[in-house]
Amino acid sequence: MNKKSILLVLFIISICISCTTDKNSNTALEGTWIVSYFQTSNDANNTFRDAPDYIHLMDFKGNTVRLKSFNSKNSGGYIDTVVNFSLTSNTIKLGNEVENQLKISTDSIVLSSMIDDKMYQTILRKLPKNSKTINWNPTGKHYKTYYDDTEAYFDFTNDSVMYSFSEATSILNTSFWRVENVDNRTILVQNNDGVFQVTYGVVDSLVNDKVYITDYLFQERSQVFEEVNKAYKKSPSLYGTWKLVYKEKLPLDSLRTTVPFSLDNFEKIRISKDSVYFVGKPFTRRCDWKYYENLETILLEKANKTIKVSKVTKDSLILKMDLSEADFLSREYILTRE
């Protein structure tokens, strides 16, 4: 190999090294990244994924990064601050935080640290650039969407509280919601009492009565929220006292346990304009109720349950519900009017 060929090879190698080094550079980090999940592992075969609970978004600009959480602003877990960061070829230090191993690809960041023989990793996804903020205010509106082919409903009942439920179960989720704008991005934030305390989705576009949202929790998933007409008028045909005559049995493999004071241990249901009473021994429980006329669904806020009205006639009432504390399986109940 002559001298010119050797110089050419060395030049190409230097370019490759430079490109590799640039992967972990300020330029590669520039932009907004949203946390997808957090995971811990003892080894490659034992990995547990969890929802993030501390930092939910990082926005890199120059030598600074905005660290932001979507926890409730009144909670001790809320943070929104800008810090300097330092970067090497394979590590990053965010302000006074512990130094992390850093791996950057085109659309993701992996931050890793080893503590007490456990590997802790945070996985972030890069958000596409947005030219303008989307003005969306869902207050007082009602939407439907689909999760794994199951229809789900979202009722933004006022400017801070939202009800969500699906046809698959009788579970009612009550969340505190808000819309935040971060660097020309509109983000729907929900603070829940359920399994995942904080969930969030990026509003991509708003077209007529449809809202297009991308959810990055665990995996990237696109959703379409379609606005539906509000219809809350209660049907007088439901009013009265109904006696339980049939309850669908649970499957043999059900994990249900008997809870003595369960709402499910009723003998009669008494429905009036303002209240639903579950009458049993030794107690009677009262619940306020809301009715979704177009879905034929009763909402019991304090019980965190929904009831599907399958059929109502002058003398009979058929309901699809689960009122137990330990089961999520909706069953059929048949009642007759007293």
Coordinates of all heavy atoms in Angstrom, one line a residue, residues 203-285:
V203 N -50.5 15.7 22.4 CA -51.5 16.0 21.4 C -50.9 16.4 20.1 O -50.2 17.4 20.0 CB -52.4 17.2 21.9 CG1 -53.5 17.5 20.9 CG2 -53.0 16.9 23.3
D204 N -51.0 15.6 19.1 CA -50.4 15.8 17.8 C -51.2 16.7 16.9 O -50.6 17.6 16.2 CB -50.2 14.4 17.1 CG -49.3 13.5 17.9 OD1 -48.3 13.9 18.4 OD2 -49.7 12.3 18.1
S205 N -52.5 16.6 16.9 CA -53.3 17.4 16.0 C -54.8 17.4 16.5 O -55.2 16.5 17.2 CB -53.2 17.0 14.5 OG -53.7 15.6 14.4
L206 N -55.5 18.4 16.0 CA -56.9 18.5 16.3 C -57.6 18.8 15.0 O -57.4 19.8 14.3 CB -57.1 19.7 17.3 CG -58.6 20.0 17.7 CD1 -59.3 18.8 18.3 CD2 -58.6 21.2 18.6
V207 N -58.5 17.8 14.5 CA -59.2 17.9 13.3 C -60.6 17.7 13.5 O -61.1 16.6 13.8 CB -58.6 16.8 12.3 CG1 -59.4 17.0 10.9 CG2 -57.1 17.0 12.1
N208 N -61.4 18.8 13.3 CA -62.8 18.8 13.6 C -63.2 18.2 15.0 O -62.7 18.8 16.0 CB -63.6 18.0 12.5 CG -63.3 18.6 11.1 OD1 -63.3 19.8 11.0 ND2 -63.2 17.8 10.1
D209 N -63.8 17.1 15.1 CA -64.2 16.6 16.4 C -63.3 15.4 16.8 O -63.6 14.7 17.8 CB -65.7 16.1 16.4 CG -65.9 14.9 15.4 OD1 -64.9 14.7 14.5 OD2 -66.9 14.3 15.4
K210 N -62.1 15.3 16.2 CA -61.2 14.3 16.6 C -59.8 14.9 17.1 O -59.3 15.8 16.5 CB -60.9 13.4 15.4 CG -62.1 12.5 15.0 CD -61.8 11.6 13.8 CE -63.0 10.8 13.4 NZ -62.7 9.9 12.3
V211 N -59.3 14.3 18.1 CA -58.1 14.7 18.7 C -57.1 13.5 18.6 O -57.4 12.4 19.0 CB -58.2 15.1 20.2 CG1 -56.9 15.6 20.8 CG2 -59.3 16.1 20.4
Y212 N -55.9 13.8 18.0 CA -54.9 12.7 17.8 C -53.8 12.9 18.8 O -53.2 13.9 18.9 CB -54.3 12.8 16.4 CG -55.4 12.6 15.3 CD1 -56.2 13.6 14.9 CD2 -55.5 11.3 14.7 CE1 -57.2 13.3 13.9 CE2 -56.5 11.0 13.8 CZ -57.3 12.0 13.3 OH -58.3 11.8 12.4
I213 N -53.7 11.8 19.6 CA -52.7 11.8 20.8 C -51.8 10.6 20.7 O -52.2 9.5 20.3 CB -53.5 11.8 22.1 CG1 -54.4 13.0 22.2 CG2 -52.6 11.6 23.3 CD1 -55.3 13.0 23.5
T214 N -50.5 10.9 21.0 CA -49.5 9.8 21.1 C -49.2 9.5 22.6 O -48.8 10.5 23.3 CB -48.3 10.1 20.3 OG1 -48.6 10.3 18.9 CG2 -47.3 8.9 20.4
D215 N -49.4 8.3 23.0 CA -49.0 7.9 24.3 C -47.7 7.1 24.3 O -47.5 6.2 23.5 CB -50.1 6.9 24.8 CG -49.9 6.4 26.2 OD1 -48.9 6.8 26.8 OD2 -50.6 5.5 26.6
Y216 N -46.7 7.6 25.1 CA -45.4 7.0 25.1 C -45.1 6.1 26.3 O -44.0 5.6 26.4 CB -44.3 8.1 25.0 CG -44.3 8.9 23.8 CD1 -45.1 10.0 23.6 CD2 -43.5 8.5 22.7 CE1 -45.1 10.7 22.4 CE2 -43.4 9.2 21.5 CZ -44.3 10.3 21.3 OH -44.2 11.0 20.2
L217 N -46.1 5.8 27.1 CA -45.9 5.0 28.3 C -45.6 3.5 27.9 O -46.5 2.9 27.3 CB -47.1 5.1 29.2 CG -47.0 4.4 30.6 CD1 -45.8 5.0 31.4 CD2 -48.3 4.4 31.4
F218 N -44.4 3.0 28.2 CA -43.9 1.7 27.8 C -43.7 1.5 26.3 O -42.7 1.0 26.0 CB -44.9 0.6 28.4 CG -45.0 0.6 29.9 CD1 -46.2 0.9 30.5 CD2 -43.9 0.2 30.6 CE1 -46.3 0.9 31.9 CE2 -44.0 0.2 32.0 CZ -45.2 0.6 32.6
Q219 N -44.6 1.9 25.5 CA -44.4 1.8 24.1 C -45.2 2.9 23.4 O -46.2 3.4 23.9 CB -44.8 0.4 23.5 CG -46.3 0.2 23.7 CD -46.7 -1.2 23.2 OE1 -45.8 -2.0 22.8 NE2 -48.0 -1.5 23.1
E220 N -44.7 3.3 22.2 CA -45.4 4.4 21.5 C -46.7 3.9 20.9 O -46.7 2.8 20.2 CB -44.5 4.9 20.4 CG -45.0 6.1 19.6 CD -44.1 6.7 18.6 OE1 -42.8 6.5 18.8 OE2 -44.5 7.3 17.7
R221 N -47.8 4.6 21.2 CA -49.1 4.2 20.7 C -49.9 5.4 20.4 O -50.1 6.3 21.1 CB -49.8 3.4 21.8 CG -51.2 2.9 21.4 CD -51.7 1.9 22.5 NE -51.8 2.5 23.8 CZ -52.1 1.9 24.9 NH1 -52.5 0.6 24.8 NH2 -52.1 2.5 26.1
S222 N -50.5 5.4 19.2 CA -51.3 6.5 18.7 C -52.8 6.2 19.0 O -53.3 5.1 18.9 CB -51.2 6.7 17.2 OG -49.8 7.0 16.9
Q223 N -53.5 7.3 19.5 CA -54.9 7.2 19.8 C -55.7 8.3 19.1 O -55.1 9.4 18.9 CB -55.1 7.3 21.3 CG -54.5 6.1 22.1 CD -54.7 6.3 23.6 OE1 -53.9 6.9 24.3 NE2 -55.8 5.8 24.1
V224 N -56.9 8.0 18.9 CA -57.8 9.0 18.3 C -59.0 9.2 19.3 O -59.7 8.3 19.6 CB -58.4 8.6 16.9 CG1 -59.3 9.7 16.4 CG2 -57.2 8.3 16.0
F225 N -59.1 10.4 19.9 CA -60.2 10.7 20.7 C -61.3 11.4 19.9 O -61.0 12.5 19.3 CB -59.7 11.7 21.8 CG -59.0 11.1 23.0 CD1 -58.1 10.0 22.8 CD2 -59.3 11.5 24.3 CE1 -57.5 9.4 23.9 CE2 -58.6 10.9 25.4 CZ -57.7 9.9 25.2
E226 N -62.4 10.7 19.8 CA -63.5 11.3 19.0 C -64.6 11.8 19.9 O -65.1 11.1 20.8 CB -64.1 10.2 18.1 CG -65.2 10.7 17.2 CD -65.7 9.6 16.2 OE1 -65.2 8.5 16.3 OE2 -66.7 9.9 15.5
E227 N -64.9 13.1 19.7 CA -65.9 13.7 20.6 C -67.3 13.2 20.3 O -67.7 13.0 19.1 CB -65.9 15.2 20.4 CG -66.8 16.0 21.3 CD -66.8 17.5 21.2 OE1 -65.9 18.0 20.4 OE2 -67.5 18.2 21.9
V228 N -68.1 12.9 21.3 CA -69.4 12.4 21.2 C -70.4 13.3 21.9 O -70.0 14.1 22.8 CB -69.6 11.0 21.7 CG1 -68.7 10.0 21.0 CG2 -69.2 10.9 23.2
N229 N -71.6 13.3 21.4 CA -72.6 14.2 22.0 C -72.9 13.8 23.5 O -73.0 12.7 23.8 CB -73.9 14.1 21.2 CG -73.8 14.7 19.8 OD1 -73.0 15.6 19.6 ND2 -74.5 14.1 18.9
K230 N -73.0 14.9 24.3 CA -73.3 14.7 25.7 C -74.8 14.4 25.8 O -75.6 15.1 25.3 CB -72.9 15.9 26.5 CG -71.5 16.2 26.6 CD -71.2 17.3 27.5 CE -71.7 18.6 26.9 NZ -71.4 19.8 27.8
A231 N -75.1 13.3 26.6 CA -76.6 13.0 26.8 C -76.6 12.4 28.2 O -76.3 11.2 28.4 CB -77.1 12.0 25.7
Y232 N -77.0 13.2 29.2 CA -77.0 12.7 30.6 C -78.4 12.6 31.2 O -78.5 12.4 32.4 CB -76.2 13.7 31.4 CG -74.8 13.9 31.0 CD1 -74.3 15.2 30.8 CD2 -74.0 12.8 30.7 CE1 -73.0 15.4 30.4 CE2 -72.7 13.0 30.3 CZ -72.2 14.3 30.2 OH -70.9 14.5 29.8
K233 N -79.4 12.7 30.4 CA -80.8 12.6 30.9 C -81.1 11.2 31.5 O -80.9 10.2 30.8 CB -81.8 12.9 29.8 CG -83.3 13.0 30.3 CD -84.2 13.3 29.1 CE -85.6 13.4 29.6 NZ -86.6 13.7 28.5
K234 N -81.6 11.2 32.7 CA -81.9 10.0 33.4 C -83.3 9.5 33.0 O -84.2 10.3 32.8 CB -81.9 10.2 34.9 CG -80.5 10.5 35.5 CD -80.5 10.8 37.0 CE -79.1 11.1 37.5 NZ -79.1 11.4 38.9
S235 N -83.3 8.2 32.7 CA -84.6 7.6 32.3 C -85.5 7.2 33.5 O -85.1 6.5 34.3 CB -84.3 6.3 31.5 OG -85.5 5.6 31.2
P236 N -86.7 7.8 33.5 CA -87.6 7.5 34.6 C -88.0 6.0 34.7 O -88.5 5.5 35.7 CB -88.9 8.3 34.2 CG -88.3 9.5 33.4 CD -87.2 8.8 32.6
S237 N -87.8 5.3 33.6 CA -88.1 3.9 33.6 C -87.3 3.1 34.5 O -87.6 2.0 34.9 CB -88.0 3.3 32.2 OG -86.7 3.4 31.7
L238 N -86.1 3.7 35.0 CA -85.2 3.0 35.9 C -85.7 3.2 37.4 O -85.3 2.5 38.2 CB -83.8 3.6 35.7 CG -83.1 3.2 34.4 CD1 -81.8 4.0 34.4 CD2 -82.8 1.7 34.3
Y239 N -86.5 4.2 37.6 CA -86.9 4.6 39.0 C -87.8 3.5 39.6 O -88.6 2.8 38.9 CB -87.6 5.9 39.0 CG -86.9 7.1 38.5 CD1 -87.5 8.3 38.2 CD2 -85.5 7.0 38.3 CE1 -86.9 9.4 37.8 CE2 -84.8 8.1 37.8 CZ -85.5 9.3 37.6 OH -84.8 10.4 37.1
G240 N -87.6 3.2 40.9 CA -88.4 2.2 41.6 C -87.5 1.3 42.4 O -86.3 1.5 42.5
T241 N -88.1 0.3 42.9 CA -87.4 -0.8 43.7 C -87.4 -2.1 42.9 O -88.4 -2.5 42.5 CB -88.1 -1.0 45.1 OG1 -88.1 0.3 45.8 CG2 -87.4 -2.0 45.9
W242 N -86.2 -2.6 42.8 CA -85.9 -3.8 42.0 C -85.4 -4.9 42.9 O -84.4 -4.7 43.6 CB -85.0 -3.5 40.8 CG -85.4 -2.4 40.0 CD1 -85.2 -1.0 40.1 CD2 -86.2 -2.5 38.8 NE1 -85.8 -0.3 39.1 CE2 -86.4 -1.2 38.3 CE3 -86.8 -3.6 38.1 CZ2 -87.2 -0.9 37.1 CZ3 -87.6 -3.3 36.9 CH2 -87.7 -2.0 36.5
K243 N -86.0 -6.1 42.8 CA -85.5 -7.2 43.6 C -84.7 -8.2 42.7 O -85.0 -8.5 41.6 CB -86.8 -8.0 44.1 CG -86.4 -9.2 45.0 CD -87.7 -9.9 45.5 CE -87.3 -11.1 46.4 NZ -88.5 -11.7 46.9
L244 N -83.5 -8.6 43.3 CA -82.6 -9.5 42.6 C -83.2 -10.9 42.5 O -83.6 -11.5 43.6 CB -81.3 -9.5 43.3 CG -80.2 -10.4 42.7 CD1 -79.8 -9.9 41.4 CD2 -79.0 -10.5 43.7
V245 N -83.3 -11.4 41.3 CA -83.8 -12.8 41.1 C -82.8 -13.7 40.5 O -82.9 -14.9 40.6 CB -85.1 -12.8 40.3 CG1 -86.2 -12.0 41.0 CG2 -84.9 -12.2 38.9
Y246 N -81.7 -13.1 39.9 CA -80.7 -13.9 39.2 C -79.4 -13.2 39.2 O -79.3 -12.0 38.9 CB -81.1 -14.3 37.8 CG -80.0 -15.0 37.0 CD1 -79.7 -16.4 37.2 CD2 -79.2 -14.3 36.1 CE1 -78.6 -17.0 36.5 CE2 -78.2 -14.9 35.4 CZ -77.9 -16.2 35.6 OH -76.9 -16.8 34.9
K247 N -78.3 -13.9 39.5 CA -76.9 -13.3 39.4 C -76.1 -14.3 38.7 O -76.0 -15.5 39.2 CB -76.4 -13.0 40.8 CG -75.0 -12.4 40.8 CD -74.3 -12.5 42.2 CE -75.0 -11.6 43.2 NZ -74.3 -11.5 44.5
E248 N -75.5 -13.9 37.6 CA -74.6 -14.9 36.9 C -73.4 -15.3 37.8 O -72.8 -14.5 38.5 CB -74.0 -14.2 35.6 CG -73.2 -15.0 34.8 CD -72.7 -14.3 33.5 OE1 -73.1 -13.2 33.3 OE2 -71.8 -14.9 32.8
K249 N -73.2 -16.6 37.7 CA -72.1 -17.2 38.6 C -70.7 -16.8 38.1 O -70.5 -16.6 36.9 CB -72.2 -18.7 38.7 CG -73.4 -19.2 39.4 CD -73.5 -20.7 39.5 CE -74.7 -21.2 40.3 NZ -74.7 -22.7 40.3
L250 N -69.8 -16.7 39.0 CA -68.4 -16.4 38.6 C -67.8 -17.7 38.1 O -68.1 -18.8 38.5 CB -67.6 -15.9 39.9 CG -67.9 -14.5 40.3 CD1 -67.4 -14.3 41.7 CD2 -67.3 -13.5 39.4
P251 N -66.8 -17.6 37.2 CA -66.1 -18.8 36.7 C -65.3 -19.4 37.9 O -64.9 -18.8 38.9 CB -65.1 -18.2 35.7 CG -65.0 -16.8 36.0 CD -66.3 -16.4 36.5
L252 N -65.0 -20.7 37.8 CA -64.3 -21.4 38.8 C -62.9 -20.9 39.1 O -62.4 -21.0 40.2 CB -64.3 -22.9 38.4 CG -65.6 -23.7 38.4 CD1 -65.4 -25.1 37.9 CD2 -66.3 -23.6 39.7
D253 N -62.3 -20.3 38.1 CA -60.9 -19.9 38.3 C -60.9 -18.4 38.8 O -59.8 -17.8 38.8 CB -60.1 -20.0 37.0 CG -60.7 -19.2 35.9 OD1 -61.8 -18.7 36.0 OD2 -60.0 -19.1 34.8
S254 N -62.0 -17.8 39.1 CA -62.0 -16.5 39.6 C -61.3 -16.3 40.9 O -61.3 -17.2 41.8 CB -63.5 -16.0 39.8 OG -63.5 -14.8 40.5
L255 N -60.6 -15.2 41.1 CA -59.8 -14.9 42.3 C -60.6 -14.2 43.3 O -60.1 -13.7 44.3 CB -58.6 -14.1 41.9 CG -57.6 -14.8 41.0 CD1 -56.4 -13.9 40.6 CD2 -57.1 -16.1 41.6
R256 N -61.9 -14.1 43.1 CA -62.7 -13.3 44.0 C -62.7 -13.9 45.4 O -62.8 -15.1 45.6 CB -64.1 -13.2 43.5 CG -65.0 -12.3 44.4 CD -66.5 -12.4 43.9 NE -67.3 -11.5 44.8 CZ -68.5 -11.7 45.0 NH1 -69.2 -12.7 44.5 NH2 -69.2 -10.9 45.8
T257 N -62.6 -13.0 46.4 CA -62.8 -13.4 47.8 C -64.0 -12.7 48.3 O -64.4 -11.6 47.9 CB -61.6 -13.0 48.6 OG1 -61.4 -11.5 48.5 CG2 -60.3 -13.7 48.2
T258 N -64.7 -13.3 49.3 CA -65.9 -12.7 49.8 C -65.6 -11.6 50.8 O -64.8 -11.8 51.8 CB -66.7 -13.8 50.6 OG1 -67.0 -14.8 49.6 CG2 -68.0 -13.2 51.1
V259 N -66.2 -10.4 50.6 CA -66.0 -9.3 51.4 C -67.4 -9.0 52.1 O -68.3 -8.7 51.4 CB -65.5 -8.0 50.7 CG1 -65.4 -6.8 51.6 CG2 -64.2 -8.3 49.9
P260 N -67.5 -9.2 53.4 CA -68.8 -9.1 54.1 C -69.6 -7.8 53.7 O -70.8 -7.9 53.6 CB -68.4 -9.1 55.6 CG -67.1 -9.8 55.6 CD -66.4 -9.4 54.3
F261 N -68.9 -6.7 53.6 CA -69.7 -5.4 53.4 C -69.5 -5.0 52.0 O -69.6 -3.8 51.7 CB -69.2 -4.4 54.4 CG -69.5 -4.7 55.8 CD1 -68.6 -5.3 56.6 CD2 -70.8 -4.4 56.3 CE1 -68.9 -5.6 58.0 CE2 -71.1 -4.7 57.6 CZ -70.1 -5.3 58.5
S262 N -69.3 -5.9 51.1 CA -69.2 -5.6 49.6 C -70.6 -5.0 49.1 O -71.7 -5.5 49.5 CB -68.9 -6.8 48.8 OG -69.0 -6.6 47.5
L263 N -70.5 -4.1 48.2 CA -71.7 -3.6 47.6 C -72.4 -4.7 46.8 O -73.6 -4.6 46.5 CB -71.2 -2.4 46.6 CG -72.3 -1.4 46.2 CD1 -72.8 -0.6 47.4 CD2 -71.7 -0.5 45.1
D264 N -71.7 -5.7 46.4 CA -72.2 -6.8 45.7 C -73.2 -7.7 46.5 O -73.9 -8.5 45.9 CB -71.1 -7.7 45.1 CG -71.5 -8.6 44.0 OD1 -72.3 -8.1 43.1 OD2 -71.1 -9.7 44.0
N265 N -73.2 -7.5 47.8 CA -74.1 -8.4 48.6 C -75.5 -7.7 48.8 O -76.0 -7.7 49.9 CB -73.4 -8.6 50.0 CG -72.2 -9.5 49.9 OD1 -72.1 -10.3 49.0 ND2 -71.3 -9.3 50.8
F266 N -76.1 -7.2 47.7 CA -77.4 -6.6 47.9 C -78.5 -7.6 47.5 O -78.3 -8.6 46.9 CB -77.5 -5.4 46.9 CG -77.5 -5.7 45.5 CD1 -78.7 -5.9 44.8 CD2 -76.4 -5.9 44.7 CE1 -78.8 -6.3 43.5 CE2 -76.4 -6.2 43.4 CZ -77.7 -6.4 42.8
E267 N -79.7 -7.3 48.0 CA -80.9 -8.1 47.7 C -81.9 -7.3 46.8 O -82.6 -7.8 46.1 CB -81.6 -8.5 49.0 CG -80.7 -9.4 49.9 CD -81.4 -9.7 51.2 OE1 -82.5 -9.1 51.5 OE2 -80.8 -10.5 52.0
K268 N -81.8 -5.9 47.0 CA -82.6 -5.1 46.2 C -81.9 -3.8 45.8 O -80.9 -3.4 46.4 CB -83.9 -4.6 47.0 CG -84.8 -5.7 47.5 CD -85.9 -5.2 48.3 CE -86.8 -6.3 48.9 NZ -87.9 -5.8 49.7
I269 N -82.3 -3.2 44.7 CA -81.8 -1.9 44.3 C -83.0 -0.9 44.2 O -84.0 -1.2 43.6 CB -81.1 -2.0 42.9 CG1 -79.8 -2.8 43.0 CG2 -80.7 -0.6 42.5 CD1 -79.1 -3.0 41.7
R270 N -82.8 0.2 44.9 CA -83.8 1.2 44.8 C -83.3 2.5 44.2 O -82.3 3.0 44.6 CB -84.4 1.6 46.2 CG -85.6 2.5 46.2 CD -86.3 2.5 47.6 NE -85.4 3.1 48.6 CZ -84.9 2.5 49.7 NH1 -85.1 1.2 49.8 NH2 -84.2 3.1 50.6
I271 N -83.9 2.9 43.1 CA -83.4 4.0 42.3 C -84.4 5.2 42.3 O -85.6 5.0 42.0 CB -83.2 3.5 40.8 CG1 -82.2 2.3 40.7 CG2 -82.6 4.7 40.0 CD1 -82.0 1.8 39.3
S272 N -83.8 6.3 42.6 CA -84.6 7.6 42.6 C -83.8 8.5 41.7 O -82.8 8.2 41.2 CB -84.8 8.1 44.0 OG -83.6 8.5 44.5
K273 N -84.4 9.7 41.5 CA -83.7 10.7 40.6 C -82.3 11.0 41.1 O -81.4 11.2 40.2 CB -84.6 12.0 40.6 CG -84.1 13.0 39.6 CD -85.0 14.2 39.5 CE -84.5 15.2 38.5 NZ -85.3 16.4 38.5
D274 N -82.1 11.1 42.4 CA -80.8 11.6 42.9 C -79.9 10.5 43.4 O -78.7 10.7 43.6 CB -81.0 12.6 44.0 CG -81.7 13.9 43.4 OD1 -81.4 14.3 42.3 OD2 -82.6 14.4 44.2
S275 N -80.5 9.3 43.8 CA -79.7 8.3 44.5 C -80.0 6.9 44.0 O -81.1 6.6 43.5 CB -80.1 8.4 46.0 OG -79.9 9.7 46.5
V276 N -79.0 6.0 44.2 CA -79.2 4.6 44.0 C -78.9 3.9 45.4 O -77.8 4.1 45.9 CB -78.2 4.0 42.9 CG1 -78.4 2.5 42.8 CG2 -78.5 4.6 41.6
Y277 N -79.8 3.1 45.9 CA -79.7 2.5 47.2 C -79.5 1.0 46.9 O -80.2 0.3 46.2 CB -80.9 2.6 48.1 CG -81.1 4.1 48.5 CD1 -81.9 4.9 47.7 CD2 -80.6 4.5 49.7 CE1 -82.1 6.3 48.1 CE2 -80.8 5.9 50.1 CZ -81.6 6.7 49.3 OH -81.8 8.0 49.7
F278 N -78.4 0.4 47.5 CA -78.2 -1.0 47.5 C -78.6 -1.6 48.8 O -77.9 -1.4 49.8 CB -76.7 -1.3 47.2 CG -76.3 -0.9 45.8 CD1 -75.8 0.4 45.6 CD2 -76.4 -1.8 44.7 CE1 -75.5 0.8 44.3 CE2 -76.0 -1.3 43.4 CZ -75.5 0.0 43.2
V279 N -79.7 -2.3 48.8 CA -80.4 -2.7 50.0 C -80.0 -4.2 50.3 O -80.2 -5.1 49.5 CB -81.9 -2.6 50.0 CG1 -82.5 -3.1 51.3 CG2 -82.3 -1.2 49.6
G280 N -79.4 -4.4 51.5 CA -79.0 -5.8 51.8 C -79.0 -6.0 53.3 O -79.4 -5.1 54.1
K281 N -78.4 -7.1 53.8 CA -78.3 -7.4 55.2 C -76.9 -7.5 55.5 O -76.1 -8.2 54.9 CB -79.1 -8.7 55.6 CG -80.6 -8.6 55.4 CD -81.2 -9.9 55.7 CE -82.7 -9.9 55.5 NZ -83.4 -11.2 55.8
P282 N -76.4 -6.7 56.5 CA -77.1 -5.9 57.5 C -77.1 -4.4 57.2 O -77.2 -3.6 58.1 CB -76.4 -6.2 58.8 CG -74.9 -6.3 58.3 CD -75.0 -6.9 57.0
F283 N -76.9 -4.0 55.9 CA -76.7 -2.6 55.7 C -77.4 -2.2 54.4 O -77.8 -3.1 53.5 CB -75.2 -2.3 55.5 CG -74.6 -2.9 54.3 CD1 -74.5 -2.2 53.1 CD2 -74.1 -4.2 54.4 CE1 -73.9 -2.8 52.0 CE2 -73.6 -4.8 53.2 CZ -73.5 -4.1 52.1
T284 N -77.6 -0.9 54.2 CA -78.0 -0.3 53.0 C -77.1 0.8 52.6 O -76.7 1.6 53.5 CB -79.5 0.3 53.1 OG1 -80.4 -0.8 53.3 CG2 -79.9 1.0 51.8
R285 N -76.6 0.8 51.4 CA -75.6 1.8 51.0 C -76.2 2.7 49.9 O -76.9 2.3 49.0 CB -74.3 1.2 50.4 CG -73.5 0.6 51.6 CD -72.2 -0.1 51.1 NE -71.4 0.9 50.3 CZ -70.2 0.5 49.8 NH1 -69.8 -0.7 49.9 NH2 -69.5 1.4 49.2

